[in-house]
Short mmCIF file of all heavy atoms in Angstrom, two decimals:
data_model
loop_
_atom_site.label_atom_id
_atom_site.label_comp_id
_atom_site.label_asym_id
_atom_site.label_seq_id
_atom_site.Cartn_x
_atom_site.Cartn_y
_atom_site.Cartn_z
N ALA A 1293 -7.93 -6.82 19.85
CA ALA A 1293 -8.02 -8.28 19.76
C ALA A 1293 -7.32 -8.96 20.89
O ALA A 1293 -7.60 -10.14 21.17
CB ALA A 1293 -7.46 -8.73 18.43
N LYS A 1294 -6.42 -8.28 21.59
CA LYS A 1294 -5.74 -8.84 22.78
C LYS A 1294 -4.69 -9.94 22.39
O LYS A 1294 -3.94 -10.35 23.31
CB LYS A 1294 -6.66 -9.38 23.82
CG LYS A 1294 -7.69 -8.35 24.30
CD LYS A 1294 -6.94 -7.13 24.91
CE LYS A 1294 -7.94 -6.10 25.42
NZ LYS A 1294 -7.28 -4.86 25.89
N CYS A 1295 -4.71 -10.40 21.22
CA CYS A 1295 -3.65 -11.35 20.76
C CYS A 1295 -3.54 -11.28 19.26
O CYS A 1295 -4.55 -11.13 18.59
CB CYS A 1295 -3.94 -12.80 21.28
SG CYS A 1295 -5.42 -13.52 20.59
N PHE A 1296 -2.32 -11.47 18.77
CA PHE A 1296 -2.10 -11.36 17.33
C PHE A 1296 -0.81 -12.11 16.95
O PHE A 1296 0.00 -12.41 17.85
CB PHE A 1296 -2.05 -9.94 16.85
CG PHE A 1296 -0.78 -9.18 17.23
CD1 PHE A 1296 0.28 -9.12 16.38
CD2 PHE A 1296 -0.65 -8.59 18.51
CE1 PHE A 1296 1.46 -8.43 16.76
CE2 PHE A 1296 0.48 -7.96 18.90
CZ PHE A 1296 1.53 -7.86 18.02
N ALA A 1297 -0.71 -12.45 15.69
CA ALA A 1297 0.44 -13.04 15.16
C ALA A 1297 1.09 -12.21 14.08
O ALA A 1297 0.32 -11.47 13.40
CB ALA A 1297 0.20 -14.47 14.58
N VAL A 1298 2.37 -12.26 13.95
CA VAL A 1298 3.03 -11.44 12.92
C VAL A 1298 3.62 -12.36 11.85
O VAL A 1298 4.14 -13.44 12.14
CB VAL A 1298 4.15 -10.59 13.54
CG1 VAL A 1298 5.22 -11.45 14.14
CG2 VAL A 1298 4.80 -9.68 12.54
N LEU A 1299 3.46 -11.95 10.58
CA LEU A 1299 3.96 -12.68 9.44
C LEU A 1299 4.92 -11.82 8.73
O LEU A 1299 4.56 -10.64 8.35
CB LEU A 1299 2.81 -13.10 8.52
CG LEU A 1299 1.61 -13.86 9.14
CD1 LEU A 1299 0.51 -14.05 8.11
CD2 LEU A 1299 2.06 -15.17 9.72
N VAL A 1300 6.11 -12.28 8.45
CA VAL A 1300 7.17 -11.41 7.86
C VAL A 1300 7.89 -12.20 6.74
O VAL A 1300 8.19 -13.42 6.92
CB VAL A 1300 8.23 -10.96 8.95
CG1 VAL A 1300 9.32 -10.21 8.24
CG2 VAL A 1300 7.50 -10.09 9.94
N ASP A 1301 8.12 -11.55 5.64
CA ASP A 1301 8.94 -12.12 4.58
C ASP A 1301 9.76 -10.95 3.97
O ASP A 1301 9.43 -9.77 4.14
CB ASP A 1301 8.15 -12.73 3.56
CG ASP A 1301 8.93 -13.73 2.70
OD1 ASP A 1301 10.13 -13.94 3.00
OD2 ASP A 1301 8.39 -14.30 1.72
N SER A 1302 10.87 -11.25 3.31
CA SER A 1302 11.70 -10.19 2.78
C SER A 1302 12.34 -10.61 1.49
O SER A 1302 12.35 -11.81 1.08
CB SER A 1302 12.84 -9.85 3.78
OG SER A 1302 13.67 -10.95 4.02
N THR A 1303 12.79 -9.64 0.74
CA THR A 1303 13.52 -9.92 -0.47
C THR A 1303 14.56 -8.80 -0.64
O THR A 1303 14.40 -7.68 -0.13
CB THR A 1303 12.55 -9.89 -1.70
OG1 THR A 1303 13.27 -10.20 -2.88
CG2 THR A 1303 12.01 -8.52 -1.87
N THR A 1304 15.67 -9.09 -1.28
CA THR A 1304 16.75 -8.19 -1.47
C THR A 1304 16.64 -7.46 -2.81
O THR A 1304 16.46 -8.07 -3.85
CB THR A 1304 18.12 -8.91 -1.41
OG1 THR A 1304 18.17 -9.61 -0.19
CG2 THR A 1304 19.27 -7.89 -1.51
N ASP A 1305 16.66 -6.15 -2.82
CA ASP A 1305 16.50 -5.33 -4.07
C ASP A 1305 17.88 -5.19 -4.71
O ASP A 1305 18.88 -5.72 -4.25
CB ASP A 1305 15.78 -4.08 -3.80
CG ASP A 1305 16.63 -3.09 -2.93
OD1 ASP A 1305 17.82 -3.32 -2.75
OD2 ASP A 1305 16.06 -2.09 -2.45
N ILE A 1306 17.86 -4.43 -5.80
CA ILE A 1306 19.09 -4.27 -6.63
C ILE A 1306 20.15 -3.56 -5.87
O ILE A 1306 21.42 -3.70 -6.22
CB ILE A 1306 18.72 -3.57 -7.95
CG1 ILE A 1306 19.86 -3.70 -8.94
CG2 ILE A 1306 18.39 -2.08 -7.68
CD1 ILE A 1306 19.50 -3.20 -10.31
N SER A 1307 19.82 -2.80 -4.86
CA SER A 1307 20.79 -2.06 -4.05
C SER A 1307 21.35 -2.91 -2.87
O SER A 1307 22.00 -2.35 -2.00
CB SER A 1307 20.28 -0.76 -3.58
OG SER A 1307 19.24 -0.96 -2.63
N VAL A 1308 20.99 -4.17 -2.83
CA VAL A 1308 21.35 -5.13 -1.78
C VAL A 1308 20.76 -4.62 -0.43
O VAL A 1308 21.42 -4.78 0.58
CB VAL A 1308 22.89 -5.29 -1.70
CG1 VAL A 1308 23.20 -6.58 -0.97
CG2 VAL A 1308 23.53 -5.36 -3.06
N THR A 1309 19.59 -4.03 -0.46
CA THR A 1309 18.86 -3.69 0.76
C THR A 1309 17.72 -4.64 0.92
O THR A 1309 17.00 -4.92 -0.04
CB THR A 1309 18.31 -2.27 0.59
OG1 THR A 1309 19.43 -1.31 0.45
CG2 THR A 1309 17.53 -1.83 1.86
N GLU A 1310 17.61 -5.13 2.08
CA GLU A 1310 16.56 -6.09 2.43
C GLU A 1310 15.25 -5.33 2.62
O GLU A 1310 15.10 -4.48 3.51
CB GLU A 1310 16.92 -6.82 3.72
CG GLU A 1310 16.14 -8.13 3.92
CD GLU A 1310 16.69 -9.27 3.02
OE1 GLU A 1310 17.75 -9.09 2.41
OE2 GLU A 1310 16.03 -10.29 3.06
N GLN A 1311 14.29 -5.65 1.75
CA GLN A 1311 12.96 -5.01 1.81
C GLN A 1311 12.06 -6.02 2.49
O GLN A 1311 11.84 -7.08 2.06
CB GLN A 1311 12.42 -4.69 0.39
CG GLN A 1311 13.33 -3.76 -0.37
CD GLN A 1311 13.35 -2.34 0.15
OE1 GLN A 1311 12.47 -1.98 0.94
NE2 GLN A 1311 14.28 -1.53 -0.32
N VAL A 1312 11.47 -5.56 3.59
CA VAL A 1312 10.72 -6.46 4.46
C VAL A 1312 9.24 -6.13 4.46
O VAL A 1312 8.87 -4.93 4.55
CB VAL A 1312 11.27 -6.38 5.95
CG1 VAL A 1312 10.50 -7.39 6.80
CG2 VAL A 1312 12.76 -6.68 5.99
N SER A 1313 8.40 -7.13 4.30
CA SER A 1313 6.98 -6.91 4.35
C SER A 1313 6.41 -7.59 5.60
O SER A 1313 6.74 -8.76 5.90
CB SER A 1313 6.31 -7.56 3.08
OG SER A 1313 4.94 -7.60 3.23
N SER A 1314 5.58 -6.86 6.37
CA SER A 1314 5.04 -7.45 7.58
C SER A 1314 3.50 -7.41 7.52
O SER A 1314 2.91 -6.39 7.07
CB SER A 1314 5.60 -6.70 8.80
OG SER A 1314 5.14 -5.37 8.81
#
Side-chain angles (χ1 to χ4, degrees):
K1294 301 303 181 185
C1295 62
F1296 71 97
V1298 62
L1299 308 174
V1300 174
D1301 199 5
S1302 63
T1303 185
T1304 305
D1305 65 16
I1306 194 172
S1307 66
V1308 200
T1309 299
E1310 198 78 6
Q1311 302 290 347
V1312 184
S1313 169
S1314 63

